[in-house]
Each structure stands twice: as structure tokens, then as C-alpha cells.
């Protein structure tokens, strides 16, 4: 519910579990009054009267730094982190946007190209548009708040409109800024690296500014575009959590400035690093949206709401609500070394084990026998596949499997026909070395002719292959970010034009192949973000398929993203990345905790292992709806050890799946604690095969300790328990 109270000059967004309050000061500055726990009438009155007093204080005497501001400028006397920075033609960077008007719109307006969460009738979503105006420069700033009461979250974005006669340069424009009250504040972030994405780190914020960001043109391995701040003690079940996520796959920024009074200012949105956008008269600049979520009762509640929102309103298209096929991918099985015969053997072994989709990974096109050539030449290598993609696909389909193909559209190898023909189509700075990474250069996706070409050649390949699935890879960060198609004063726009160009191509291919399942990928999980998920309803989580490392990666990823979107594969041992050999059961249970697949040369597996694998595959087929569309609860963290566990609960709470992984022995003398479950119906009785019948409240309050886990000296044992109520 969005309410405007003209008497107190406030706007109130009230939903289940949180409220958000804004006020217009007597001098028409927009103030942030509250985001968090729903306020009682008494608490609201107290807050408003305190604010009225502060808002009336003389600004010439008292700095605006004493105010909590909703979309702060820089250049007057609030010198904290600004939400925006503009450079006017007279060289000044001082702006003054004052409140002008507001509108409440039903649902969510269409903001044009780029990713956007959807709204459906039944959500009771509403959008508050607040208009701020800079009279001197004739600029309008529209702040949009789309409020989803049923998900308890908020989506914000900003539009700057130039209604004057002169251009203005945008140096920074966030989607949202927040002034939170004095702490203590704690920041939770998700840093990582290739094959070690989204490791969870947290620590208290100290005075100063923390920038979480990507300057790589992709959302990055190094830091995931999602962060939380917590106030006081917080656990899965208790405490206040505020989550922020910029919805973009390009350069993003989350800033957290703890001020001298320990109040916290946060901004979220596009990265201002190296960014400048020339906004001509009559034009508008629309920022990407950002997601804001609050939980007054711990991480679990926050993740549940985010997961539901991602599944219902971020993902879209044919596959949104459909169980995802169990795939077999040939990458770890063959790398670049394969021919049709080899692929068919792997596919056949996959089919025999019960898998549903065969994915041909890198190496099928041009002359690509290693990673130094042929990106950009999307025609089949007939030396490896003499019957072409069509022939191979026909045989795979003939086996009763679906067929999928790997592509990496945004790249060009210097050793390629495409590069020979269009050497200026890649990002490059005039007169400078074009630095490869994995021997490849990045195409200038901001250019329409580059996208048109890619659309044409990829459409031809995907049509020939009659694909059911596409893995869209992106294996390097952007460098020498300069476009041969733009004038010198527009070069700081290249990063943003790049990512918008990528979205445009994704969108066109989605429309052209509406029933094809697209999976995002970027050297594993370097583009795991809410922007991509709008186009690709699942993402390859990490190139690291080791069952122990994956526990942490998948656990931490689950804070923002549901297991449905996390590609998780069983691979051979010793693991290609860690050289570790974990039991097949362990590897299978980890993969079954996400979007299950296999990535191994099954023709080399023993009969015994194949039989065991087939058992897991048939079990996953049975539990797939629950894993992919149920509610996910983290129970015990693999970062804390020595035992990790999680639970999937069906929407009507009649069934649940408990996964337990014992990663280390307990310390000598420890009394092994039971695993406490959550999310069950307290009064329902659940039967667990081989263990008995238990009441929901007992499982949640006392817990459950299956027999194999009772000995403290066990290591690398795992179990999956199906609770049926
Ligand atoms: C990336 C992907 C892998 C694989 C290779 C192919 O690293 O993450 O899964 O597709 O590229 O080159």
C-alpha cells in the first residue's frame, strides 16, 4: 500500500514485514525517514515529530549532513557520498533538485530496454513516482519505487530528463540511495575468484566508505552484485537484514559510507568509475533498476522472499515454471578433443543413465582445437563433425535426448575469419596493444551492426542444430574499452552501451527461439546476477565441480538466488580442479541440491558407478519439483563446519528433503548435536524412511540426527532424507 499524507508531507509504503517512509521538508528537500520494521502509530508519531524539528532547522546554520536524505546531491553542504553527480555546460557540478510532484501508478511501468522484474495482477504492486526538479538547469529527476507487498520488497530506479536547452554530462546516477540511522552496522559481501565464486565474508563497518563494485564490464567473479547490511546480532532466524542488488550485468556499484555519527549511507546502481553520459536536450537517461529487501527476522526470511521473487518475477519465458532437464555436458569429458563418434558414445552413456539433454560445449566451430582460435566463426568444423550440427543433432534427438549447444557470442579470436574481415569490431584503443585474455578480444556489443551480424550467424547455427538448449558463455573481462564507432566525447559511455547491447542480443535470440532453454555462463559464475536471469533462467554456478568447494559456493549463492537457477554437475574424480576424490554419493547429493547435470566421460566409468549414478538420476527425477520449486532453508553453514545441511520444503509443507554433509569429524568429546529443521508444519507428522515418524515442531525445536551421523569421528559421509507428511 502506498499512501501520501499531504498534511505531514509524507509518503508511506507499508507491506508485510516492512515499511518505508519519505518526507518532503519545508524547503522541498526529499528526506528518508524510515526503512525497516513496520512502525506502530505511536512510533510513527514520534519519528515524524523528531523529523519535523530537524527538517525546520536552518540549513544555513546547520549542515544537511544532519538530515537523512533520499537522493542526495553533492556540492552544497552535504559532503557524504552522493546519489548522483552532474556536470553542467558552465562547468559547475552543483545541482539542486527539489520536490515537485508525485504519482502513484498501478503495477510497474515499462521502462524500455534492459532487464526488469515484472509485475502481475494479483501482486498488488504499485509504483510511486516522485518528481524532483532543478529549476536552474531545467532538469527533472524521476525516482521510481515499485512496491511488491506480497514479496515484501521494493524495486527502485531513476530517470534523468533534460528539459533544458543545453546538454548535461551525467558523471554518476544511482538507482537508489539510502540514509540509515546510526548502527552498529555489519556488511555481508560475496567476493570470489574463478572456480571459487561467492565466498561469504562479513564484518563490522567502520567509519569511511566501502565500495563493492565491478570495473570489469561483467558483474565479475571478484564480487557478486548483491550485499546485505545487518544491525546487531543476526542469524538465519533473527535480526535485521537489509539487502541491495543492482540489476545489471555490467559495471555496478554498492557504496556504504559509515559517517562520523555512525549513520550509514548506501548507494546502489551503475558504477560511476570511468562513466560519463552526455544527455542532450529532450533526452532521458534511465538507470538499471535495483532491488531492496528488508527482513526483521533474519537471513532465512529474506532469502525465501528473494527466491520467490526471482522465480516469479525475474525469470520469464517458456522455462520459468518448468522443471529443467537433467543434462550431460562434454566439457570436462573431452575438452576440445572430440569427434562425432566420441560425442555420441558419451550421449548414449548419459541416456542409458537416465539423462535428458546432451550439451555440446566449446570446440565445435571454426578450427578450434584449443582456446587460441575461431571465436566469431560460428560455422561447424566438419573435420570433427562431418555430418554438421544438423547431423549430430538428428542422431542425438534420435536417441531420445534433447540437444544443446555452447556459444560465446561476445568474443572474437584474433585468429579468426571474423577478425580478418572486421578488425575494428572489437573494443580497442587507437594505437594501443589489444590485450587478449584467453587469447580472445571482446566485440563491441554497443554497435548495432555487430549485433545484427551475430544474430544472423547464431540464428543460422541454432536453427541448423535444432537446439533445445544454449549455453551462453563469456570468458573474459573487458579491456581497452574504446569503441571505433563513437566520437571521443562519448567514449565513457562504452561500458553501458556494451551491456545494453548484450541484453539486446539476448532478447532477440530469446524471441527468435522462445522454447529454447538458455543457460548463462561466464568462466563459470562471473556473470551470476539478476540482470542475466531476466534472459537466461539458469546459470552455470562455477567451473569448480569439486563437491566440497561447491558446498560453500552453492550455500553462499543461495542468500540471493534460488537453487533452481544454479547449474550443478557431477564430474569424474580426481576432480579436474582440486584433484580431490570424493565419493560419488557426495558429488551427486551436492549436484542434486541445485539444477542437476553431469559433466564427465561416462564411457570411462565402471558399471558399478554408472548403476549408482542412474539411481541418483532417477531419484532426482522424483524430487526435482521439490528442489527446483520448493522453499530452500539453509540449516548449517559449510563455512562454519564440521557439518553442512539444508532443507527443501514443498509449498504446502507436506514434504521436505533434508541434505546433510559431514565435512570434518567433530572434535574429540563433542556430543554430536541433532540437525534442527525449519519451515515445516509444526503439527504435521512426517515419516522418514528407516527413522520413524516425527512431529514438525519436534523436528524444528529438538532436531533430527540420522544414525550414520551419530559417531563424532565420521568424515565425508552424507545423506538425503525425504520427509513425507
Ligand atoms: C568456460 C565455461 C566452461 C566451458 C569453457 C569452454 O570456462 O565456464 O564451462 O564451457 O568455458 O571453453
Amino acid at each position: 500500500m502506498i499512501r501520501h499524507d499531504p498534511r505531514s508531507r509524507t509518503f508511506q509504503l507499508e507491506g508485510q514485514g516492512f515499511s518505508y517512509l519519505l518526507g518532503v521538508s519545508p524547503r522541498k528537500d526529499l528526506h528518508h525517514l524510515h526503512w525497516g520494521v513496520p512502525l506502530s502509530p505511536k512510533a510513527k508519531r514520534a519519528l515524524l515529530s523528531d523529523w519535523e524539528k530537524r527538517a525546520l532547522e536552518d540549513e544555513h546554520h546547520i549542515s544537511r549532513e544532519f538530515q537523512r536524505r533520499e537522493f542526495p546531491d553533492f556540492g552544497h553542504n552535504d559532503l557524504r557520498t552522493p546519489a548522483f553527480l552532474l556536470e553542467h555546460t558552465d562547468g559547475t557540478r552543483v545541482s539542486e533538485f527539489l520536490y515537485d510532484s508525485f504519482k502513484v501508478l498501478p503495477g510497474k511501468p515499462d521502462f524500455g530496454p534492459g532487464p526488469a522484474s515484472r509485475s502481475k495482477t494479483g501482486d498488488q504492486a504499485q509504483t510511486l513516482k516522485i518528481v524532483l526538479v532543478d529549476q536552474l538547469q531545467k532538469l527533472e529527476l524521476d525516482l521510481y519505487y515499485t512496491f511488491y507487498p506480497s514479496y515484501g520488497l521494493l524495486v527502485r530506479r531513476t530517470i534523468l530528463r533534460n528539459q533544458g536547452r543545453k546538454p548535461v554530462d551525467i558523471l554518476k546516477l544511482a538507482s537508489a540511495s539510502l540514509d540509515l540511522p546510526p548502527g552498529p552496522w555489519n556488511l555481508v559481501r560475496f567476493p570470489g575468484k574463478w572456480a571459487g565464486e561467492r565466498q561469504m565474508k562479513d564484518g563490522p563497518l567502520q567509519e569511511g566508505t566501502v565500495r563493492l563494485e565491478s570495473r570489469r564490464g561483467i558483474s565479475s567473479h571478484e564480487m557478486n552484485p548483491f550485499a546485505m547490511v545487518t544491525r546487531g546480532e543476526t542469524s538465519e532466524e533473527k535480526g535485521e537484514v537489509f539487502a541491495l542488488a543492482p540489476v545489471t550485468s555490467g559495471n555496478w556499484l554498492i557504496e556504504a559510507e559509515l559517517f562520523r555519527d555512525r549513520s550509514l549511507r548506501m548507494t546502489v546502481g551503475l558504477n560511476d568509475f570511468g562513466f560519463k553520459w552526455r544527455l542532450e536536450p529532450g533526452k532521458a537517461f534511465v538507470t538499471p533498476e535495483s532491488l531492496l529487501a528488508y527482513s526483521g527476522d533474519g537471513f532465512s526470511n529474506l532469502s525465501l522472499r528473494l527466491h520467490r521473487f526471482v522465480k516469479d518475477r525475474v525469470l520469464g519465458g517458456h522455462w520459468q515454471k518448468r522443471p529443467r532437464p537433467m543434462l550431460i555436458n562434454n566439457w570436462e569429458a573431452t575438452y576440445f578433443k572430440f569427434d562425432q563418434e566420441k560425442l555420441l558414445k558419451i550421449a548414449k552413456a548419459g541416456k542409458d543413465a537416465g539423462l535428458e539433454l546432451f550439451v555440446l560445449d566449446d570446440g565445435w566451430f571454426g578450427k578450434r582445437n584449443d582456446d587460441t582460435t575461431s571465436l566469431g566463426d560460428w560455422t561447424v568444423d566438419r573435420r570433427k563433425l562431418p555430418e554438421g550440427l544438423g547431423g549430430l543433432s538428428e542422431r542425438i534427438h534420435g536417441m531420445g535426448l534433447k540437444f544443446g549447444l555452447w556459444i560465446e557470442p561476445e568474443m572474437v579470436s584474433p585468429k579468426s575469419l571474423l577478425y580478418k574481415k572486421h578488425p575494428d569490431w572489437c573494443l580497442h584503443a587507437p594505437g594501443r596493444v589489444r590485450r587478449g585474455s584467453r587469447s580472445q578480444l571482446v566485440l563491441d556489443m554497443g554497435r548495432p551492426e555487430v549485433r545484427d551480424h551475430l544474430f544472423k550467424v547464431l540464428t543460422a547455427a541454432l536453427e541448423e542444430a535444432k537446439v533445445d538448449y544454449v549455453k551462453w558463455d563469456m570468458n573474459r573481462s573487458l579491456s581497452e574499452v574504446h569503441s571505433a564507432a563513437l566520437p571521443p566525447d562519448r567514449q565513457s559511455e562504452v561500458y553501458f552501451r556494451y551491456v545494453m547491447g548484450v541484453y539486446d542480443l539476448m532478447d532477440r535470440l530469446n524471441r527468435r527461439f522462445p522454447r529454447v532453454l538458455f543457460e548463462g555462463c561466464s568462466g563459470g559464475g562471473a556473470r551470476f546476477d539478476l540482470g542475466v536471469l531476466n534472459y537466461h533462467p539458469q546459470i552455470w554456478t562455477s567451473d569448480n565441480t569439486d563437491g566440497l568447494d561447491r558446498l560453500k559456493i552453492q550455500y553462499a549463492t543461495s542468500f540471493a538466488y534460488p537453487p533452481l537457477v544454479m547449474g550443478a554437475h557431477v564430474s569424474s574424480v580426481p576432480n579436474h580442479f582440486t584433484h580431490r576424490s570424493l565419493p560419488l554419493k557426495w558429488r551427486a547429493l551436492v549436484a542434486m541440491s541445485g539444477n542437476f547435470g553431469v559433466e564427465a566421460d561416462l564411457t570411462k566409468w565402471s558399471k558399478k558407478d554408472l548403476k549408482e549414478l542412474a539411481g541418483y538420476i532417477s531419484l532426482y527425477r522424483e524430487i526435482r519439483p521439490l528442489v527446483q520449486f520448493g522453499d530452500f532453508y539453509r540449516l548449517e553453514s559449510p563455512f562454519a563446519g564440521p557439518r553442512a545441511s539444508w532443507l527443501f520444503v514443498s509449498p504446502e509443507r507436506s514434504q521436505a528433503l533434508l541434505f546433510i554433509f559431514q565435512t570434518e569429524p567433530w572434535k574429540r568429546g563433542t556430543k554430536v548435536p541433532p540437525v534442527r529443521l525449519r519451515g515445516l508444519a509444526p503439527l504435521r507428522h512426517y515419516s522418514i524412511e528407516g527413522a520413524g515418524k516425527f512431529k514438525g515442531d519436534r523436528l524444528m525445536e529438538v532436531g533430527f540426527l540420522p544414525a550414520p551421523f551419530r559417531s563424532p569421528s565420521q568424515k565425508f559421509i552424507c545423506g538425503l532424507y525425504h520427509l513425507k507428511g
Side-chain angles (χ1 to χ4, degrees), residues 654-684:
S654 56
Q655 287 194 53
L657 298 165
L658 170 64
F659 288 75
I660 311 180
F661 302 90
Q662 186 76 42
T663 54
E664 293 290 332
W666 293 95
K667 289 218 172 70
R668 189 192 284 263
T670 310
K671 187 170 176 304
V672 179
V675 182
R676 275 187 58 215
L677 276 47
R678 289 210 312 282
L680 303 174
L683 301 180
R684 205 184 267 263

Side-chain angles (χ1 to χ4, degrees), residues 96-263:
E96 176 111 46
F97 282 89
L98 297 179
Y99 174 79
D100 176 81
S101 57
F102 81 98
K103 239 190 199 144
V104 177
L105 310 159
K108 186 163 184 255
D110 179 1
F111 291 96
S117 51
R118 301 163 178 89
S119 102
K120 300 225 165 114
T121 23
D123 284 352
Q124 291 160 343
Q126 284 182 303
T127 301
L128 170 67
K129 173 186 175 188
I130 295 195
V131 178
L132 309 177
V133 170
D134 185 332
Q135 284 297 353
L136 186 65
Q137 300 290 350
K138 302 277 176 284
L139 296 170
E140 179 180 313
L141 202 49
D142 299 341
L143 310 183
Y144 285 91
Y145 303 75
T146 301
F147 179 47
Y148 289 89
S150 44
Y151 296 92
L153 44 83
L154 204 59
V155 173
R156 285 181 58 179
R157 71 161 98 202
T158 312
I159 301 183
L160 183 73
R161 299 177 196 278
N162 187 350
Q163 294 163 337
R165 296 202 172 159
K166 296 176 198 151
V168 60
D169 283 338
I170 305 173
L171 305 180
K172 176 180 187 180
L173 189 57
S175 332
S177 173
L178 287 159
D179 271 2
L180 299 168
W185 289 103
N186 194 57
L187 177 67
V188 186
R189 62 181 97 181
F190 297 87
K193 56 186 177 190
W194 174 69
E197 293 86 342
R198 295 172 295 285
Q199 303 295 309
M200 195 175 167
K201 297 255 162 77
D202 71 331
L205 279 167
Q206 306 290 358
E207 286 80 351
T209 306
V210 176
R211 281 174 73 97
L212 308 182
E213 64 184 329
S214 165
R215 278 176 264 116
R216 297 173 168 270
I218 46 174
S219 42
S220 92
H221 289 110
E222 284 67 21
M223 193 66 72
N224 191 259
F226 173 74
M228 299 182 284
V229 288
T230 61
R231 186 156 50 175
E233 279 288 297
T234 311
S235 67
E236 286 289 345
E237 290 162 284
K238 285 201 182 84
E240 287 199 288
V241 192
F242 302 74
L244 302 172
V247 182
T248 177
S249 312
N251 285 352
W252 59 272
L253 174 67
I254 296 175
E255 291 167 295
E257 180 179 358
L258 193 77
F259 197 50
R260 58 184 179 231
D261 62 357
R262 303 191 73 75
S263 64

Side-chain angles (χ1 to χ4, degrees), residues 194 197 221 329 331-332 335-336 360-363 365 368 370-371 375 406-408 438 440 471-475 520-526 540-545 569 599:
W194 174 69
E197 293 86 342
H221 289 110
N329 175 304
W331 178 241
E332 283 199 22
Y335 296 107
F336 295 100
L360 171 55
D361 211 278
D362 195 356
F365 50 91
R368 191 155 165 95
D370 55 33
D371 60 11
L375 291 166
W406 178 97
I407 54 174
E408 196 179 357
R438 211 193 188 205
Q440 61 200 54
K471 177 174 172 187
W472 179 309
D473 211 339
M474 196 298 181
N475 276 310
C521 177
S522 180
W540 180 225
T541 311
S542 173
D543 278 345
N544 186 344
T545 52
H569 299 172
E599 179 150 347

Side-chain angles (χ1 to χ4, degrees), residues 383-434:
R383 294 167 313 170
K384 288 181 184 170
L385 303 173
E387 298 177 2
L389 286 175
L392 174 67
S393 160
E394 211 174 301
R395 287 179 188 276
I396 298 282
H397 282 135
M399 284 182 197
L401 286 168
K402 292 182 184 302
F403 182 62
L405 198 62
W406 178 97
I407 54 174
E408 196 179 357
E410 299 152 68
M411 296 295 150
V412 61
S413 307
K415 274 199 246 161
S416 68
L417 299 173
L418 181 67
Y419 190 70
K420 235 188 210 153
K421 203 164 164 206
H422 294 290
D424 68 324
W425 272 13
C426 66
L427 297 174
H428 64 280
R432 303 282 176 202
V433 175
R434 301 174 181 198

